[in-house]
């Protein structure tokens, strides 16, 4: 038997990893062999996961608490599972789902059942992510309809902005000169100056 490893993932720095660490500790995974990312599960471009992948060797055993901690992208979970189990020869145990334990059922039927369960759970994980995104979009749209503004608040315009706009529109100043006198970037001045011109019907 090879080495025991564990993988932990939380989506944000504010989320706690305690439950996952506790579960891996109960599985007797050495603390120094637990790799943790604080990052979205949308793909597998995560620094600690990539390090773990380099460490894993044939006959090593990898524990994760649940399939969505491994990732949330259906196709990529299946691809990583194939890389780990078939290319690297690593066994995987998903603690929340005893059927997903590649040490058991190494025969054709066991592998078949494990593959079906994995595909169903991977689909559920990605579907949940799609639902979350849809709810976020709906929430943002509802907030916009209520007049909530998103993004950084706009800086107030300089006191001489209107005067410089008039001189710029009259051709007395170039956009660069007017922007410099306002203490603004040229692109910002020209964009806001153009909008001001439209609003003033000049």
């Amino acid at each position: 038997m090879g080495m025991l490893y564990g993988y932990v993932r939380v989506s944000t720095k504010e989320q706690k990893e305690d439950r996952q660490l506790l579960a891996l500790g109960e599985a007797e995974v050495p603390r120094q062999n637990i790799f943790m990312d604080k990052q979205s599960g949308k793909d597998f471009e995560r620094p600690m996961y990539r390090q773990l992948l380099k460490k894993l060797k044939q006959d090593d055993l990898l524990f994760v608490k649940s399939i969505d901690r491994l990732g949330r992208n259906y196709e990529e979970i299946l691809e990583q599972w194939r890389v780990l189990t078939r290319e690297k020869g690593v066994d995987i145990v998903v603690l929340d789902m005893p059927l997903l334990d590649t040490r058991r059922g190494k025969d054709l039927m066991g592998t078949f059942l494990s593959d079906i369960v994995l595909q169903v759970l991977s689909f559920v994980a990605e579907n949940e992510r799609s639902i979350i995104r849809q709810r976020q979009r709906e929430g943002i749209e509802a907030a916009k309809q209520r007049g909530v503004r998103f993004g950084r608040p706009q800086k107030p315009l300089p006191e001489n902005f209107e005067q410089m706009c008039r001189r710029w529109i009259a051709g007395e100043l170039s956009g660069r000169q007017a922007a410099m006198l306002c203490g603004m970037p040229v692109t910002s001045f020209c964009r806001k100056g153009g909008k001001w011109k439209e609003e003033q019907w000049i």
Side-chain angles (χ1 to χ4, degrees), residues 11 69 121:
S11 297
R69 297 305 88 201
L121 290 177

Side-chain angles (χ1 to χ4, degrees), residues 107-192:
D107 60 0
L108 186 62
M109 182 55 74
T111 303
F112 174 70
L113 289 172
S114 186
D115 282 352
I116 288 176
V117 172
L118 173 64
Q119 290 197 36
V120 170
L121 290 177
S122 300
F123 172 78
V124 168
E126 184 174 10
N127 194 49
E128 283 178 357
R129 195 164 73 92
S130 298
I131 290 168
I132 289 168
R133 284 201 306 265
Q134 178 64 27
R135 285 176 180 162
Q136 285 173 338
R137 283 195 297 269
E138 289 170 355
I140 289 168
E141 188 56 39
K144 282 181 178 176
Q145 288 178 8
R146 293 196 308 270
V148 176
R149 290 182 173 230
F150 292 90
R152 291 181 298 180
Q154 291 189 357
K155 289 182 180 178
L157 293 170
E159 289 182 9
N160 65 341
F161 176 76
E162 189 172 320
Q163 181 189 358
M164 293 305 109
C165 274
R166 291 185 187 280
R167 293 184 64 187
W168 170 56
I169 292 162
E172 296 174 18
L173 296 171
S174 68
R176 185 176 296 278
Q177 290 171 324
M180 188 173 67
L181 290 167
C182 285
M184 296 173 68
V186 178
T187 51
S188 294
F189 175 83
C190 291
R191 186 179 70 253
K192 292 183 179 181

Side-chain angles (χ1 to χ4, degrees), residues 4-195:
L4 301 186
Y5 288 94
Y7 180 68
V8 170
R9 185 185 65 78
V10 289
S11 297
T12 66
K13 290 180 180 178
E14 290 72 35
Q15 287 183 337
K16 300 296 181 188
E17 63 276 3
D18 300 359
R19 287 188 303 115
Q20 294 178 67
L21 290 173
L22 183 62
L24 294 177
E26 288 174 354
E28 300 183 349
V29 179
R31 186 64 184 85
Q32 68 271 20
N33 287 357
I34 296 176
F35 290 72
M36 179 171 62
D37 280 307
K38 294 196 173 187
Q39 198 169 331
S40 163
K42 66 180 181 178
D43 59 42
F44 282 85
E45 293 305 316
R46 307 173 218 138
M48 297 310 292
Y49 180 80
R50 304 312 294 182
Q51 279 190 37
L52 171 63
L53 208 55
K54 288 177 185 175
K55 279 261 188 187
L56 289 166
K57 294 181 175 58
Q58 187 164 345
D59 296 327
D60 284 344
L61 180 56
L62 174 63
F63 288 88
V64 291
K65 187 171 191 309
S66 57
I67 195 69
D68 64 347
R69 297 305 88 201
L70 191 60
R72 285 190 175 274
N73 182 301
Y74 172 61
E75 289 182 1
E76 289 198 13
I77 291 172
L78 297 177
E79 173 60 18
Q80 286 301 309
W81 192 276
R82 186 190 64 76
V83 167
L84 290 166
T85 59
R86 295 179 190 171
E87 290 184 17
K88 285 190 153 296
V90 172
D91 274 314
I92 307 175
V93 177
V94 179
L95 295 168
D96 283 357
M97 180 57 62
L99 279 172
L100 287 178
D101 182 342
T102 60
R103 297 171 301 178
R104 299 175 185 170
K106 293 277 188 180
D107 60 0
L108 186 62
M109 182 55 74
T111 303
F112 174 70
L113 289 172
S114 186
D115 282 352
I116 288 176
V117 172
L118 173 64
Q119 290 197 36
V120 170
L121 290 177
S122 300
F123 172 78
V124 168
E126 184 174 10
N127 194 49
E128 283 178 357
R129 195 164 73 92
S130 298
I131 290 168
I132 289 168
R133 284 201 306 265
Q134 178 64 27
R135 285 176 180 162
Q136 285 173 338
R137 283 195 297 269
E138 289 170 355
I140 289 168
E141 188 56 39
K144 282 181 178 176
Q145 288 178 8
R146 293 196 308 270
V148 176
R149 290 182 173 230
F150 292 90
R152 291 181 298 180
Q154 291 189 357
K155 289 182 180 178
L157 293 170
E159 289 182 9
N160 65 341
F161 176 76
E162 189 172 320
Q163 181 189 358
M164 293 305 109
C165 274
R166 291 185 187 280
R167 293 184 64 187
W168 170 56
I169 292 162
E172 296 174 18
L173 296 171
S174 68
R176 185 176 296 278
Q177 290 171 324
M180 188 173 67
L181 290 167
C182 285
M184 296 173 68
V186 178
T187 51
S188 294
F189 175 83
C190 291
R191 186 179 70 253
K192 292 183 179 181
K195 188 176 178 184

